[in-house]
């Protein structure tokens, strides 16, 4: 009998469906391949520098007392050569020339964005989640163009999500490339580093809408 932000069912998101919907509404997305065959993967990476990442959610597990996570990784012919000719279905995308990365928290039809200068550090160039705690990436509040925010609102509506955290790349060609949206909507660092006070915004929203 209380107000929900996201309903449970849409929390099970398919990255490929997200990319398809994003492309349909006019957002730029990476060139994407899913394959189980080395020959097909070779052909793809012959034509573009490539990365690979999880098809579904990020893997995480505690092994010997240490938290182990899966990251986005660069893939080339030397790495491909050591795996079998047929393998578990894997996602490969073209490696995008980033100027910086953007994390956008979407809530109540509004976008709260942060630019992440991950390209200034070799450790975080491919995946900024490989945090450099000794020398953290510079992060600043960022305003997306209105046409991009409108596409995000359209995307979230079609995905039946009221809230979520979106990963976007701003390229050296000055294009915005959509990667994915996390429906669980992690926002703590974005709120803290950019002084958005999202905890207060969400709390006030829940208070205001707890009327039934």
């Amino acid at each position: 009998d209380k107000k929900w932000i996201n309903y449970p069912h849409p929390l099970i998101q398919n990255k490929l469906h997200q990319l398809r919907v994003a492309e349909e509404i006019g957002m730029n997305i990476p060139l994407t391949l899913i394959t189980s065959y080395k020959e097909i993967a070779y052909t793809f990476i012959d034509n573009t520098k490539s990365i690979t990442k999880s098809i579904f959610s990020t893997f995480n597990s505690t092994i010997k007392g240490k938290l182990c996570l899966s990251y986005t990784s660069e893939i080339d012919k030397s790495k491909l050569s050591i795996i079998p000719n047929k393998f578990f279905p894997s996602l490969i995308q073209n490696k995008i020339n980033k100027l910086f990365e953007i994390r956008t928290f979407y809530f109540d039809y509004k976008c709260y964005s942060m630019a992440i200068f991950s390209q200034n550090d070799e450790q975080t160039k491919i995946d900024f989640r490989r945090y450099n705690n000794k020398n953290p990436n510079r992060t600043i509040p960022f305003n997306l163009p209105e046409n991009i925010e409108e596409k995000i609102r359209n995307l979230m509506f079609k995905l039946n999500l009221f809230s979520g955290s979106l990963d976007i790349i701003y390229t050296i060609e000055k294009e915005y490339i959509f990667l994915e949206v996390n429906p669980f909507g992690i926002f703590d660092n974005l709120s803290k580093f950019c002084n958005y006070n999202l905890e207060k915004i969400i709390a006030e929203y829940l208070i205001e809408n707890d009327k039934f």
Side-chain angles (χ1 to χ4, degrees):
D1 63 346
K2 298 298 181 182
K3 179 68 177 178
W4 290 67
I5 293 177
N6 277 331
Y7 289 98
H9 179 68
L11 294 178
I12 308 301
Q13 286 284 318
N14 182 308
K15 288 184 184 181
L16 304 179
H17 177 64
Q18 291 179 358
L19 289 170
R20 186 179 298 112
V21 173
E23 186 176 38
E24 287 173 354
I25 64 175
M27 301 181 85
N28 295 318
I29 65 169
L31 185 64
T32 302
L33 169 74
I34 290 184
T35 186
S36 296
Y37 297 95
K38 185 189 290 189
E39 183 179 353
I40 295 174
Y42 264 133
T43 301
F44 185 89
I45 67 176
D46 247 352
N47 297 320
T48 178
K49 290 184 177 180
S50 303
I51 58 93
T52 183
K53 63 181 182 180
S54 61
I55 297 176
F56 189 56
S57 57
T58 303
F59 168 83
N60 66 81
S61 181
T62 301
I63 301 174
K64 295 182 178 180
K66 292 185 178 181
L67 179 63
C68 298
L69 303 172
S70 61
Y71 294 104
T72 299
S73 300
E74 195 167 3
I75 186 169
D76 55 27
K77 287 185 176 179
S78 64
K79 293 179 180 178
L80 201 58
S81 67
I82 63 175
I83 65 174
N85 290 327
K86 188 175 182 181
F87 46 84
F88 192 81
S90 299
L91 186 150
I92 304 174
Q93 292 179 325
N94 65 307
K95 181 185 175 186
I96 298 166
N97 293 321
K98 307 174 189 176
L99 193 58
F100 53 84
E101 299 182 52
I102 302 166
R103 167 62 61 88
T104 295
F105 180 69
Y106 177 86
F107 179 75
D108 193 18
Y109 307 104
K110 298 182 181 67
C111 294
Y112 304 88
S113 298
M114 173 176 73
I116 306 165
F117 294 91
S118 57
Q119 302 309 287
N120 298 334
D121 189 332
E122 287 296 325
Q123 182 171 317
T124 58
K125 268 188 173 181
I126 303 298
D127 191 331
F128 80 87
R129 294 172 303 148
R130 290 184 178 274
Y131 304 117
N132 185 337
N133 294 318
K134 292 183 179 179
N135 185 25
N137 292 153
R138 180 179 178 230
T139 56
I140 59 171
F142 185 80
N143 291 324
L144 288 167
E146 177 54 36
N147 69 312
I148 300 297
E149 291 197 353
E150 184 58 33
K151 288 177 180 178
I152 288 174
R153 284 188 282 269
N154 194 2
L155 173 69
M156 297 298 275
F157 174 78
K158 289 181 177 294
L159 295 177
N160 197 22
L161 292 172
F162 187 77
S163 177
S165 289
L166 297 95
D167 290 329
I168 299 169
I169 288 174
Y170 188 68
T171 73
I172 60 174
E173 294 83 17
K174 299 183 179 180
E175 292 182 320
Y176 294 89
I177 310 292
F178 168 79
L179 298 181
E180 61 186 78
V181 52
N182 177 355
F184 294 100
I186 299 169
F187 62 83
D188 53 346
N189 282 346
L190 188 150
S191 180
K192 178 174 67 175
F193 296 152
C194 297
N195 295 315
Y196 284 136
N197 295 316
L198 294 172
E199 302 85 349
K200 183 173 185 288
I201 291 170
I202 293 170
E204 289 176 344
Y205 171 86
L206 291 172
I207 293 167
E208 177 64 25
N209 286 275
D210 188 20
K211 303 295 187 185
F212 52 89

